[in-house]
Amino acid sequence: MRGKVKLHGHINNLPFGQSATSELCGAAVRSTTTDEAGNYAFDVPPGTYEIIFSLAGHTFNPPSISGTWTHDSAMPPVADPVYRLDPSDCQPA
């Protein structure tokens, strides 16, 4: 078995000039930000992981990807981040 696997993926249509955070939890713990195009990658030992996506004020679909990986893998693309209203943004009518 190889010592490391590369898990990589893409977040579609990030707001212009913004990067999302991708946090990897499991057999290893890592955090990275996407590049300008929404790409991210982790080099980690084979194992079971969850990749959690975050960007202030936005939600993702899916919010995370989980699985067990033993070889280099491309993750399914994450749908466009959707702006989420913070309750403090709402004004009484």
Side-chain angles (χ1 to χ4, degrees):
M1 184 179 291
R2 292 177 52 183
K4 297 271 185 178
V5 297
K6 181 174 186 172
L7 307 179
H8 57 96
H10 178 80
I11 298 174
N12 294 326
N13 299 322
L14 284 173
F16 182 75
Q18 294 191 19
S19 295
T21 300
S22 301
E23 295 183 59
L24 182 92
C25 303
V29 177
R30 305 274 192 283
S31 180
T32 191
T33 55
T34 60
D35 65 14
E36 292 175 353
N39 299 306
Y40 64 91
F42 297 99
D43 289 316
V44 293
T48 300
Y49 296 99
E50 179 177 20
I51 303 171
I52 304 165
F53 307 101
S54 63
L55 175 62
H58 292 78
T59 58
F60 292 89
N61 182 23
S64 66
I65 297 171
S66 299
T68 299
W69 291 281
T70 58
H71 59 280
D72 293 355
S73 298
M75 302 297 103
V78 177
D80 304 354
V82 176
Y83 183 72
R84 179 186 68 237
L85 277 177
D86 185 301
S88 66
D89 293 338
C90 298
Q91 300 297 320

